[in-house]
């Protein structure tokens, strides 16, 4: 079985369409995906997120609602992943920004031996026609540079689509401490330290209006989280990803303590 976790903070407007498209997609691709259950994590919403989620439940694609009172996407995804018990576990955003074809592609990669497959907007084949405003793009570029030091070889840590071996992700997510938007970085660092094979796949990605990420409000917090992740994981083993093993620069970066790889004085 595949369980799909959807973190949702006040998503009554964007969630119904996402669940509708997901149900249609799962119906068409049932032969590949098998049984699919959705777990919507209602992240202390003050709107009808839980109600619209429950209303979308059907025999073909059951939708369960889990409540998480601790705010933040990281806290919500952690709660959702801990509520899973399937062999395959995925999370994706409530706005349906990532093309759902990524599900079958990621599923095949897992079948061929990957432990985690992450959607990417940073590969040559990625299709990300509509982009965010310039302020956010500039911030995102700086963020990617720092995240890239912690996770050599990974072009995009922040895409809201990731698929995992269930037992593995459940075993590391208990240690996840980052409650905000930078949780992806900590999760990937923990997975890599656990020896996971992480593969990045290109996705089709559209900017869906109504983003809950407000650069002015969440940007600084996301950078601060990055610094904390670098510090708190400084003693973890950082295995060199197989594809980078021969590359001097990347390999030496990945073996140096992460804190040392950060610019002096923090990330900001
Ligand atoms: N901003 C925010 N988003 C949350 C929170 N908890 C869960 N989320 C979900 O995290 C996802 C973030 O996606 P989105 O708002 O589209 O951000 P973007 O795609 O990065 O612009 C959505 O599914 C949100 O509902 C929270 O506390 N704050
Ligand atoms: Mg989005």
């Amino acid at each position: 079985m595949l369980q799909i976790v959807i973190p949702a903070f006040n998503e009554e407007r964007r969630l119904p369409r996402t669940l509708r498209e997901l149900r249609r997609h799962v119906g068409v691709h049932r032969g590949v995906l098998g049984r699919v259950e959705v777990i919507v994590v209602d992240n202390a919403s003050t709107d009808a997120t839980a109600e619209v989620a429950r209303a979308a439940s059907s025999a073909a694609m059951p939708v369960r609602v889990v409540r998480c009172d601790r705010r933040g996407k990281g806290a919500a995804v952690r709660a959702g992943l801990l509520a899973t018990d399937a062999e395959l576990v995925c999370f994706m955003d409530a706005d349906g920004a990532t093309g759902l074809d990524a599900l079958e592609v990621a599923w095949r990669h897992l079948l061929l031996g990957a432990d985690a497959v992450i959607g990417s907007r940073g590969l040559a084949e990625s299709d990300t026609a509509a982009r965010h405003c310039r302020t956010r793009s500039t911030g995102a570029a700086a963020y990617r540079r720092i995240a890239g030091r912690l996770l050599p070889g990974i072009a995009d840590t922040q895409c809201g689509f990731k698929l995992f071996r269930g037992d593995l992700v459940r075993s590391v997510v208990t240690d996840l401490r980052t409650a905000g938007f930078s949780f992806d970085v900590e999760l990937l660092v923990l997975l890599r330290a656990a020896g996971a094979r992480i593969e990045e796949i290109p996705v089709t990605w559209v900017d869906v209006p109504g983003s809950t990420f407000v650069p002015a409000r969440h940007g600084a917090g996301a950078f601060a989280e990055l610094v904390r992740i670098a510090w708190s994981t400084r003693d973890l083993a950082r295995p060199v990803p197989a594809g980078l093993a021969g590359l001097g620069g990347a390999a030496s970066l990945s073996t140096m303590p992460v804190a040392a790889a950060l610019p002096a004085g923090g990330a900001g």
Side-chain angles (χ1 to χ4, degrees), residues 6-11 14 41-45 70-77 92-97 121 132 136 158 160 179-181 183 205-214 217-218:
I6 303 184
F9 168 61
N10 287 346
E11 294 284 5
R14 302 196 298 176
V41 184
D42 174 11
N43 198 196
S45 299
R70 182 168 183 212
R71 279 286 314 278
K73 184 179 176 185
V77 170
M92 63 172 72
D93 284 347
D95 62 357
R121 300 159 296 182
H132 287 295
R136 182 160 173 182
Q158 296 312 109
F181 281 105
F183 79 96
W205 189 84
V206 289
D207 253 350
V208 179
S211 168
T212 60
F213 183 90
V214 184
R217 189 175 329 144
H218 300 116

mmCIF file of all heavy atoms in Angstrom, residues 6-11 14 41-45 70-77 92-97 121 132 136 158 160 179-181 183 205-214 217-218, ligand 1:
data_model
loop_
_atom_site.group_PDB
_atom_site.id
_atom_site.type_symbol
_atom_site.label_atom_id
_atom_site.label_comp_id
_atom_site.label_asym_id
_atom_site.label_seq_id
_atom_site.Cartn_x
_atom_site.Cartn_y
_atom_site.Cartn_z
ATOM 1 N N ILE A 6 -0.478 14.675 3.287
ATOM 2 C CA ILE A 6 -0.626 16.046 2.786
ATOM 3 C C ILE A 6 -0.739 16.999 3.974
ATOM 4 O O ILE A 6 -1.747 17.018 4.669
ATOM 5 C CB ILE A 6 -1.888 16.185 1.882
ATOM 6 C CG1 ILE A 6 -1.821 15.192 0.721
ATOM 7 C CG2 ILE A 6 -2.021 17.623 1.376
ATOM 8 C CD1 ILE A 6 -2.967 15.312 -0.281
ATOM 9 N N PRO A 7 0.337 17.792 4.223
ATOM 10 C CA PRO A 7 0.263 18.773 5.304
ATOM 11 C C PRO A 7 -0.660 19.903 4.863
ATOM 12 O O PRO A 7 -0.582 20.360 3.723
ATOM 13 C CB PRO A 7 1.709 19.265 5.426
ATOM 14 C CG PRO A 7 2.267 19.113 4.053
ATOM 15 C CD PRO A 7 1.603 17.893 3.455
ATOM 16 N N ALA A 8 -1.524 20.352 5.738
ATOM 17 C CA ALA A 8 -2.496 21.365 5.314
ATOM 18 C C ALA A 8 -2.783 22.371 6.422
ATOM 19 O O ALA A 8 -3.270 22.010 7.485
ATOM 20 C CB ALA A 8 -3.790 20.688 4.865
ATOM 21 N N PHE A 9 -2.452 23.600 6.138
ATOM 22 C CA PHE A 9 -2.763 24.695 7.056
ATOM 23 C C PHE A 9 -3.734 25.642 6.350
ATOM 24 O O PHE A 9 -3.366 26.299 5.390
ATOM 25 C CB PHE A 9 -1.477 25.420 7.459
ATOM 26 C CG PHE A 9 -1.720 26.722 8.158
ATOM 27 C CD1 PHE A 9 -2.411 26.758 9.363
ATOM 28 C CD2 PHE A 9 -1.270 27.915 7.614
ATOM 29 C CE1 PHE A 9 -2.645 27.960 10.000
ATOM 30 C CE2 PHE A 9 -1.495 29.119 8.256
ATOM 31 C CZ PHE A 9 -2.196 29.143 9.448
ATOM 32 N N ASN A 10 -4.959 25.656 6.798
ATOM 33 C CA ASN A 10 -6.000 26.497 6.177
ATOM 34 C C ASN A 10 -6.058 26.316 4.659
ATOM 35 O O ASN A 10 -5.861 27.264 3.906
ATOM 36 C CB ASN A 10 -5.779 27.975 6.538
ATOM 37 C CG ASN A 10 -6.150 28.253 7.984
ATOM 38 O OD1 ASN A 10 -6.806 27.425 8.640
ATOM 39 N ND2 ASN A 10 -5.751 29.398 8.496
ATOM 40 N N GLU A 11 -6.317 25.104 4.239
ATOM 41 C CA GLU A 11 -6.293 24.773 2.813
ATOM 42 C C GLU A 11 -7.678 24.440 2.268
ATOM 43 O O GLU A 11 -7.807 23.695 1.300
ATOM 44 C CB GLU A 11 -5.336 23.599 2.552
ATOM 45 C CG GLU A 11 -3.864 23.903 2.810
ATOM 46 C CD GLU A 11 -3.214 24.739 1.711
ATOM 47 O OE1 GLU A 11 -3.922 25.170 0.787
ATOM 48 O OE2 GLU A 11 -1.991 24.964 1.805
ATOM 49 N N ARG A 14 -7.713 25.207 -1.549
ATOM 50 C CA ARG A 14 -6.844 24.532 -2.522
ATOM 51 C C ARG A 14 -6.928 23.010 -2.446
ATOM 52 O O ARG A 14 -6.661 22.311 -3.420
ATOM 53 C CB ARG A 14 -5.391 24.980 -2.327
ATOM 54 C CG ARG A 14 -5.217 26.497 -2.475
ATOM 55 C CD ARG A 14 -3.779 26.909 -2.664
ATOM 56 N NE ARG A 14 -2.903 26.564 -1.540
ATOM 57 C CZ ARG A 14 -1.594 26.777 -1.548
ATOM 58 N NH1 ARG A 14 -1.023 27.291 -2.626
ATOM 59 N NH2 ARG A 14 -0.855 26.456 -0.510
ATOM 60 N N VAL A 41 -2.930 16.086 7.096
ATOM 61 C CA VAL A 41 -2.594 16.569 8.437
ATOM 62 C C VAL A 41 -3.136 17.981 8.580
ATOM 63 O O VAL A 41 -2.648 18.919 7.945
ATOM 64 C CB VAL A 41 -1.073 16.566 8.682
ATOM 65 C CG1 VAL A 41 -0.785 16.985 10.119
ATOM 66 C CG2 VAL A 41 -0.495 15.192 8.400
ATOM 67 N N ASP A 42 -4.169 18.109 9.370
ATOM 68 C CA ASP A 42 -4.778 19.406 9.622
ATOM 69 C C ASP A 42 -3.909 20.128 10.655
ATOM 70 O O ASP A 42 -3.921 19.796 11.826
ATOM 71 C CB ASP A 42 -6.208 19.191 10.132
ATOM 72 C CG ASP A 42 -6.849 20.501 10.559
ATOM 73 O OD1 ASP A 42 -6.276 21.572 10.262
ATOM 74 O OD2 ASP A 42 -7.916 20.447 11.192
ATOM 75 N N ASN A 43 -3.129 21.100 10.151
ATOM 76 C CA ASN A 43 -2.132 21.759 10.992
ATOM 77 C C ASN A 43 -2.748 22.964 11.716
ATOM 78 O O ASN A 43 -2.488 24.107 11.386
ATOM 79 C CB ASN A 43 -0.945 22.173 10.121
ATOM 80 C CG ASN A 43 0.311 22.475 10.909
ATOM 81 O OD1 ASN A 43 1.242 23.081 10.409
ATOM 82 N ND2 ASN A 43 0.367 22.064 12.161
ATOM 83 N N ALA A 44 -3.577 22.673 12.703
ATOM 84 C CA ALA A 44 -4.221 23.727 13.513
ATOM 85 C C ALA A 44 -4.964 24.734 12.645
ATOM 86 O O ALA A 44 -4.945 25.937 12.918
ATOM 87 C CB ALA A 44 -3.185 24.423 14.392
ATOM 88 N N SER A 45 -5.623 24.229 11.608
ATOM 89 C CA SER A 45 -6.364 25.127 10.713
ATOM 90 C C SER A 45 -7.543 25.748 11.445
ATOM 91 O O SER A 45 -8.129 25.143 12.349
ATOM 92 C CB SER A 45 -6.896 24.348 9.504
ATOM 93 O OG SER A 45 -5.839 23.779 8.772
ATOM 94 N N ARG A 70 0.852 21.510 16.664
ATOM 95 C CA ARG A 70 2.096 22.266 16.575
ATOM 96 C C ARG A 70 2.207 22.829 15.170
ATOM 97 O O ARG A 70 2.234 22.088 14.187
ATOM 98 C CB ARG A 70 3.276 21.353 16.882
ATOM 99 C CG ARG A 70 4.575 22.082 16.857
ATOM 100 C CD ARG A 70 5.702 21.262 17.442
ATOM 101 N NE ARG A 70 6.925 22.060 17.459
ATOM 102 C CZ ARG A 70 8.136 21.560 17.314
ATOM 103 N NH1 ARG A 70 8.296 20.271 17.179
ATOM 104 N NH2 ARG A 70 9.190 22.355 17.328
ATOM 105 N N ARG A 71 2.299 24.138 15.040
ATOM 106 C CA ARG A 71 2.309 24.776 13.739
ATOM 107 C C ARG A 71 3.637 24.556 13.005
ATOM 108 O O ARG A 71 4.679 24.419 13.614
ATOM 109 C CB ARG A 71 2.047 26.282 13.895
ATOM 110 C CG ARG A 71 0.571 26.647 14.063
ATOM 111 C CD ARG A 71 -0.186 26.523 12.736
ATOM 112 N NE ARG A 71 0.551 27.141 11.642
ATOM 113 C CZ ARG A 71 0.535 28.441 11.378
ATOM 114 N NH1 ARG A 71 -0.185 29.257 12.093
ATOM 115 N NH2 ARG A 71 1.224 28.928 10.374
ATOM 116 N N GLY A 72 3.553 24.587 11.680
ATOM 117 C CA GLY A 72 4.733 24.490 10.844
ATOM 118 C C GLY A 72 4.655 23.268 9.937
ATOM 119 O O GLY A 72 4.191 22.206 10.354
ATOM 120 N N LYS A 73 5.125 23.438 8.698
ATOM 121 C CA LYS A 73 5.035 22.335 7.737
ATOM 122 C C LYS A 73 5.832 21.118 8.211
ATOM 123 O O LYS A 73 5.393 19.982 8.054
ATOM 124 C CB LYS A 73 5.521 22.793 6.357
ATOM 125 C CG LYS A 73 5.369 21.723 5.297
ATOM 126 C CD LYS A 73 5.822 22.196 3.921
ATOM 127 C CE LYS A 73 5.742 21.034 2.926
ATOM 128 N NZ LYS A 73 6.267 21.393 1.602
ATOM 129 N N GLY A 74 7.010 21.374 8.826
ATOM 130 C CA GLY A 74 7.833 20.256 9.308
ATOM 131 C C GLY A 74 7.119 19.457 10.381
ATOM 132 O O GLY A 74 7.117 18.219 10.362
ATOM 133 N N ALA A 75 6.504 20.161 11.311
ATOM 134 C CA ALA A 75 5.775 19.481 12.384
ATOM 135 C C ALA A 75 4.617 18.677 11.805
ATOM 136 O O ALA A 75 4.345 17.544 12.225
ATOM 137 C CB ALA A 75 5.257 20.504 13.395
ATOM 138 N N ALA A 76 3.942 19.259 10.806
ATOM 139 C CA ALA A 76 2.787 18.580 10.201
ATOM 140 C C ALA A 76 3.217 17.324 9.442
ATOM 141 O O ALA A 76 2.601 16.258 9.577
ATOM 142 C CB ALA A 76 2.048 19.548 9.270
ATOM 143 N N VAL A 77 4.283 17.433 8.649
ATOM 144 C CA VAL A 77 4.742 16.266 7.883
ATOM 145 C C VAL A 77 5.234 15.177 8.839
ATOM 146 O O VAL A 77 4.956 13.985 8.643
ATOM 147 C CB VAL A 77 5.856 16.667 6.880
ATOM 148 C CG1 VAL A 77 6.509 15.437 6.273
ATOM 149 C CG2 VAL A 77 5.280 17.547 5.780
ATOM 150 N N MET A 92 3.163 15.253 -0.158
ATOM 151 C CA MET A 92 3.037 16.273 -1.200
ATOM 152 C C MET A 92 2.215 17.440 -0.673
ATOM 153 O O MET A 92 1.476 17.300 0.303
ATOM 154 C CB MET A 92 2.403 15.684 -2.456
ATOM 155 C CG MET A 92 0.988 15.176 -2.283
ATOM 156 S SD MET A 92 0.223 14.695 -3.856
ATOM 157 C CE MET A 92 1.081 13.179 -4.255
ATOM 158 N N ASP A 93 2.382 18.610 -1.326
ATOM 159 C CA ASP A 93 1.700 19.814 -0.849
ATOM 160 C C ASP A 93 0.209 19.806 -1.182
ATOM 161 O O ASP A 93 -0.232 19.175 -2.148
ATOM 162 C CB ASP A 93 2.345 21.056 -1.481
ATOM 163 C CG ASP A 93 3.674 21.404 -0.832
ATOM 164 O OD1 ASP A 93 3.968 20.853 0.245
ATOM 165 O OD2 ASP A 93 4.415 22.222 -1.410
ATOM 166 N N ALA A 94 -0.545 20.567 -0.398
ATOM 167 C CA ALA A 94 -1.993 20.637 -0.558
ATOM 168 C C ALA A 94 -2.413 21.356 -1.835
ATOM 169 O O ALA A 94 -3.547 21.217 -2.285
ATOM 170 C CB ALA A 94 -2.597 21.347 0.646
ATOM 171 N N ASP A 95 -1.478 22.123 -2.426
ATOM 172 C CA ASP A 95 -1.872 22.912 -3.599
ATOM 173 C C ASP A 95 -1.732 22.161 -4.921
ATOM 174 O O ASP A 95 -2.112 22.676 -5.963
ATOM 175 C CB ASP A 95 -1.075 24.228 -3.659
ATOM 176 C CG ASP A 95 0.420 23.990 -3.796
ATOM 177 O OD1 ASP A 95 0.843 22.824 -3.792
ATOM 178 O OD2 ASP A 95 1.168 24.984 -3.904
ATOM 179 N N GLY A 96 -1.212 20.953 -4.869
ATOM 180 C CA GLY A 96 -1.090 20.173 -6.098
ATOM 181 C C GLY A 96 -0.122 20.789 -7.091
ATOM 182 O O GLY A 96 -0.327 20.700 -8.305
ATOM 183 N N ALA A 97 0.958 21.404 -6.603
ATOM 184 C CA ALA A 97 1.902 22.093 -7.493
ATOM 185 C C ALA A 97 2.727 21.123 -8.335
ATOM 186 O O ALA A 97 3.131 21.439 -9.447
ATOM 187 C CB ALA A 97 2.836 22.987 -6.677
ATOM 188 N N ARG A 121 12.986 20.579 -8.916
ATOM 189 C CA ARG A 121 12.786 21.639 -9.899
ATOM 190 C C ARG A 121 14.134 22.131 -10.397
ATOM 191 O O ARG A 121 14.214 23.111 -11.116
ATOM 192 C CB ARG A 121 11.994 22.788 -9.250
ATOM 193 C CG ARG A 121 10.632 22.333 -8.756
ATOM 194 C CD ARG A 121 10.078 23.259 -7.697
ATOM 195 N NE ARG A 121 10.916 23.245 -6.505
ATOM 196 C CZ ARG A 121 10.649 23.947 -5.392
ATOM 197 N NH1 ARG A 121 9.583 24.701 -5.339
ATOM 198 N NH2 ARG A 121 11.443 23.875 -4.353
ATOM 199 N N HIS A 132 8.187 31.958 -9.168
ATOM 200 C CA HIS A 132 7.786 32.903 -8.124
ATOM 201 C C HIS A 132 8.319 34.307 -8.438
ATOM 202 O O HIS A 132 9.107 34.493 -9.349
ATOM 203 C CB HIS A 132 8.368 32.455 -6.782
ATOM 204 C CG HIS A 132 7.690 31.250 -6.217
ATOM 205 N ND1 HIS A 132 6.377 31.265 -5.827
ATOM 206 C CD2 HIS A 132 8.147 30.002 -5.976
ATOM 207 C CE1 HIS A 132 6.064 30.072 -5.354
ATOM 208 N NE2 HIS A 132 7.117 29.284 -5.447
ATOM 209 N N ARG A 136 11.521 36.251 -4.027
ATOM 210 C CA ARG A 136 11.549 34.873 -3.558
ATOM 211 C C ARG A 136 12.595 34.071 -4.321
ATOM 212 O O ARG A 136 13.292 33.245 -3.743
ATOM 213 C CB ARG A 136 10.159 34.242 -3.690
ATOM 214 C CG ARG A 136 10.170 32.829 -3.153
ATOM 215 C CD ARG A 136 8.815 32.292 -2.801
ATOM 216 N NE ARG A 136 8.945 30.870 -2.465
ATOM 217 C CZ ARG A 136 7.949 30.090 -2.154
ATOM 218 N NH1 ARG A 136 6.726 30.566 -2.106
ATOM 219 N NH2 ARG A 136 8.155 28.819 -1.877
ATOM 220 N N GLN A 158 13.807 21.392 -1.587
ATOM 221 C CA GLN A 158 12.568 21.975 -1.063
ATOM 222 C C GLN A 158 11.289 21.639 -1.828
ATOM 223 O O GLN A 158 10.218 22.094 -1.438
ATOM 224 C CB GLN A 158 12.713 23.499 -0.997
ATOM 225 C CG GLN A 158 13.788 23.975 -0.035
ATOM 226 C CD GLN A 158 13.704 23.319 1.322
ATOM 227 O OE1 GLN A 158 14.545 22.510 1.671
ATOM 228 N NE2 GLN A 158 12.666 23.618 2.087
ATOM 229 N N GLY A 160 7.988 20.072 -2.752
ATOM 230 C CA GLY A 160 7.043 19.462 -1.806
ATOM 231 C C GLY A 160 6.614 18.053 -2.148
ATOM 232 O O GLY A 160 5.561 17.610 -1.685
ATOM 233 N N ALA A 179 10.590 22.307 12.789
ATOM 234 C CA ALA A 179 9.134 22.404 12.650
ATOM 235 C C ALA A 179 8.719 23.192 11.412
ATOM 236 O O ALA A 179 7.600 23.055 10.928
ATOM 237 C CB ALA A 179 8.539 23.056 13.893
ATOM 238 N N GLY A 180 9.613 24.012 10.886
ATOM 239 C CA GLY A 180 9.239 24.904 9.794
ATOM 240 C C GLY A 180 9.573 24.368 8.414
ATOM 241 O O GLY A 180 9.710 23.151 8.209
ATOM 242 N N PHE A 181 9.743 25.285 7.469
ATOM 243 C CA PHE A 181 9.886 24.909 6.061
ATOM 244 C C PHE A 181 11.217 24.223 5.728
ATOM 245 O O PHE A 181 11.333 23.609 4.681
ATOM 246 C CB PHE A 181 9.717 26.146 5.173
ATOM 247 C CG PHE A 181 8.285 26.536 4.964
ATOM 248 C CD1 PHE A 181 7.732 27.619 5.613
ATOM 249 C CD2 PHE A 181 7.469 25.789 4.125
ATOM 250 C CE1 PHE A 181 6.400 27.982 5.430
ATOM 251 C CE2 PHE A 181 6.145 26.121 3.930
ATOM 252 C CZ PHE A 181 5.607 27.226 4.587
ATOM 253 N N PHE A 183 12.493 21.701 7.168
ATOM 254 C CA PHE A 183 12.533 20.316 7.660
ATOM 255 C C PHE A 183 13.036 19.343 6.590
ATOM 256 O O PHE A 183 13.659 18.335 6.908
ATOM 257 C CB PHE A 183 11.151 19.859 8.146
ATOM 258 C CG PHE A 183 10.237 19.482 7.017
ATOM 259 C CD1 PHE A 183 10.111 18.163 6.618
ATOM 260 C CD2 PHE A 183 9.540 20.450 6.324
ATOM 261 C CE1 PHE A 183 9.299 17.809 5.550
ATOM 262 C CE2 PHE A 183 8.720 20.112 5.251
ATOM 263 C CZ PHE A 183 8.605 18.784 4.871
ATOM 264 N N TRP A 205 6.170 21.333 -12.428
ATOM 265 C CA TRP A 205 5.780 22.093 -11.231
ATOM 266 C C TRP A 205 5.189 23.430 -11.636
ATOM 267 O O TRP A 205 5.737 24.139 -12.468
ATOM 268 C CB TRP A 205 7.029 22.286 -10.368
ATOM 269 C CG TRP A 205 6.774 22.846 -9.016
ATOM 270 C CD1 TRP A 205 6.405 22.168 -7.888
ATOM 271 C CD2 TRP A 205 6.882 24.220 -8.640
ATOM 272 N NE1 TRP A 205 6.275 23.035 -6.838
ATOM 273 C CE2 TRP A 205 6.565 24.301 -7.270
ATOM 274 C CE3 TRP A 205 7.217 25.389 -9.316
ATOM 275 C CZ2 TRP A 205 6.559 25.491 -6.572
ATOM 276 C CZ3 TRP A 205 7.218 26.578 -8.625
ATOM 277 C CH2 TRP A 205 6.900 26.622 -7.272
ATOM 278 N N VAL A 206 4.033 23.741 -11.084
ATOM 279 C CA VAL A 206 3.411 25.040 -11.375
ATOM 280 C C VAL A 206 3.227 25.828 -10.084
ATOM 281 O O VAL A 206 2.956 25.264 -9.031
ATOM 282 C CB VAL A 206 2.033 24.888 -12.068
ATOM 283 C CG1 VAL A 206 2.195 24.395 -13.481
ATOM 284 C CG2 VAL A 206 1.121 23.959 -11.279
ATOM 285 N N ASP A 207 3.393 27.130 -10.208
ATOM 286 C CA ASP A 207 3.098 28.033 -9.090
ATOM 287 C C ASP A 207 1.587 28.059 -8.900
ATOM 288 O O ASP A 207 0.872 28.499 -9.785
ATOM 289 C CB ASP A 207 3.531 29.449 -9.490
ATOM 290 C CG ASP A 207 4.782 29.866 -8.778
ATOM 291 O OD1 ASP A 207 5.195 29.165 -7.855
ATOM 292 O OD2 ASP A 207 5.342 30.906 -9.163
ATOM 293 N N VAL A 208 1.107 27.604 -7.764
ATOM 294 C CA VAL A 208 -0.327 27.678 -7.523
ATOM 295 C C VAL A 208 -0.584 28.882 -6.616
ATOM 296 O O VAL A 208 0.029 28.993 -5.554
ATOM 297 C CB VAL A 208 -0.844 26.388 -6.847
ATOM 298 C CG1 VAL A 208 -2.331 26.483 -6.587
ATOM 299 C CG2 VAL A 208 -0.520 25.181 -7.708
ATOM 300 N N PRO A 209 -1.444 29.791 -7.038
ATOM 301 C CA PRO A 209 -1.714 30.968 -6.206
ATOM 302 C C PRO A 209 -2.186 30.558 -4.816
ATOM 303 O O PRO A 209 -2.785 29.496 -4.651
ATOM 304 C CB PRO A 209 -2.844 31.694 -6.960
ATOM 305 C CG PRO A 209 -2.810 31.163 -8.343
ATOM 306 C CD PRO A 209 -2.253 29.777 -8.274
ATOM 307 N N GLY A 210 -1.897 31.404 -3.835
ATOM 308 C CA GLY A 210 -2.361 31.123 -2.477
ATOM 309 C C GLY A 210 -1.299 30.452 -1.631
ATOM 310 O O GLY A 210 -1.614 29.833 -0.621
ATOM 311 N N SER A 211 -0.006 30.578 -2.040
ATOM 312 C CA SER A 211 1.079 29.985 -1.259
ATOM 313 C C SER A 211 1.007 30.423 0.198
ATOM 314 O O SER A 211 0.703 31.575 0.509
ATOM 315 C CB SER A 211 2.423 30.418 -1.854
ATOM 316 O OG SER A 211 3.460 30.081 -0.949
ATOM 317 N N THR A 212 1.294 29.473 1.100
ATOM 318 C CA THR A 212 1.307 29.813 2.521
ATOM 319 C C THR A 212 2.696 30.251 2.959
ATOM 320 O O THR A 212 2.899 30.602 4.106
ATOM 321 C CB THR A 212 0.884 28.594 3.370
ATOM 322 O OG1 THR A 212 1.803 27.519 3.131
ATOM 323 C CG2 THR A 212 -0.519 28.149 3.021
ATOM 324 N N PHE A 213 3.680 30.180 2.012
ATOM 325 C CA PHE A 213 5.037 30.634 2.337
ATOM 326 C C PHE A 213 5.142 32.117 2.003
ATOM 327 O O PHE A 213 5.061 32.505 0.845
ATOM 328 C CB PHE A 213 6.077 29.831 1.547
ATOM 329 C CG PHE A 213 7.495 30.200 1.891
ATOM 330 C CD1 PHE A 213 8.173 29.535 2.906
ATOM 331 C CD2 PHE A 213 8.141 31.233 1.219
ATOM 332 C CE1 PHE A 213 9.484 29.886 3.225
ATOM 333 C CE2 PHE A 213 9.445 31.591 1.532
ATOM 334 C CZ PHE A 213 10.114 30.910 2.542
ATOM 335 N N VAL A 214 5.290 32.945 3.011
ATOM 336 C CA VAL A 214 5.420 34.375 2.796
ATOM 337 C C VAL A 214 6.892 34.729 3.040
ATOM 338 O O VAL A 214 7.358 34.644 4.178
ATOM 339 C CB VAL A 214 4.526 35.164 3.779
ATOM 340 C CG1 VAL A 214 4.595 36.658 3.482
ATOM 341 C CG2 VAL A 214 3.102 34.648 3.713
ATOM 342 N N ARG A 217 7.846 36.804 5.924
ATOM 343 C CA ARG A 217 7.525 36.253 7.241
ATOM 344 C C ARG A 217 8.293 34.958 7.530
ATOM 345 O O ARG A 217 8.739 34.701 8.632
ATOM 346 C CB ARG A 217 6.017 35.993 7.347
ATOM 347 C CG ARG A 217 5.642 35.620 8.770
ATOM 348 C CD ARG A 217 4.139 35.446 9.016
ATOM 349 N NE ARG A 217 3.269 36.270 8.205
ATOM 350 C CZ ARG A 217 2.089 35.838 7.751
ATOM 351 N NH1 ARG A 217 1.673 34.628 8.011
ATOM 352 N NH2 ARG A 217 1.316 36.630 7.030
ATOM 353 N N HIS A 218 8.460 34.110 6.516
ATOM 354 C CA HIS A 218 9.048 32.792 6.750
ATOM 355 C C HIS A 218 10.502 32.669 6.317
ATOM 356 O O HIS A 218 11.189 31.735 6.699
ATOM 357 C CB HIS A 218 8.235 31.708 6.023
ATOM 358 C CG HIS A 218 6.807 31.632 6.463
ATOM 359 N ND1 HIS A 218 5.751 31.901 5.616
ATOM 360 C CD2 HIS A 218 6.256 31.335 7.658
ATOM 361 C CE1 HIS A 218 4.607 31.766 6.266
ATOM 362 N NE2 HIS A 218 4.878 31.419 7.508
HETATM 363 N N1 LIG B 1 2.866 28.104 5.842
HETATM 364 C C1 LIG B 1 2.545 26.967 6.420
HETATM 365 N N2 LIG B 1 2.246 25.923 5.626
HETATM 366 C C2 LIG B 1 1.909 24.785 6.237
HETATM 367 C C3 LIG B 1 1.872 24.713 7.657
HETATM 368 N N3 LIG B 1 1.522 23.478 7.981
HETATM 369 C C4 LIG B 1 1.327 22.818 6.855
HETATM 370 N N4 LIG B 1 1.543 23.593 5.768
HETATM 371 C C5 LIG B 1 1.404 23.134 4.370
HETATM 372 O O1 LIG B 1 2.658 23.144 3.705
HETATM 373 C C6 LIG B 1 2.462 23.255 2.291
HETATM 374 C C7 LIG B 1 3.232 24.426 1.784
HETATM 375 O O2 LIG B 1 2.934 24.634 0.445
HETATM 376 P P1 LIG B 1 2.643 26.081 -0.148
HETATM 377 O O3 LIG B 1 1.825 26.890 0.803
HETATM 378 O O4 LIG B 1 2.076 25.901 -1.492
HETATM 379 O O5 LIG B 1 4.073 26.733 -0.212
HETATM 380 P P2 LIG B 1 4.990 26.881 -1.495
HETATM 381 O O6 LIG B 1 4.589 25.859 -2.506
HETATM 382 O O7 LIG B 1 6.365 26.662 -0.942
HETATM 383 O O8 LIG B 1 4.741 28.265 -1.956
HETATM 384 C C8 LIG B 1 0.961 23.420 2.094
HETATM 385 O O9 LIG B 1 0.419 22.147 1.861
HETATM 386 C C9 LIG B 1 0.538 23.977 3.455
HETATM 387 O O10 LIG B 1 -0.820 23.787 3.725
HETATM 388 C C10 LIG B 1 2.187 25.859 8.443
HETATM 389 O O11 LIG B 1 2.159 25.882 9.671
HETATM 390 N N5 LIG B 1 2.509 26.966 7.768
#
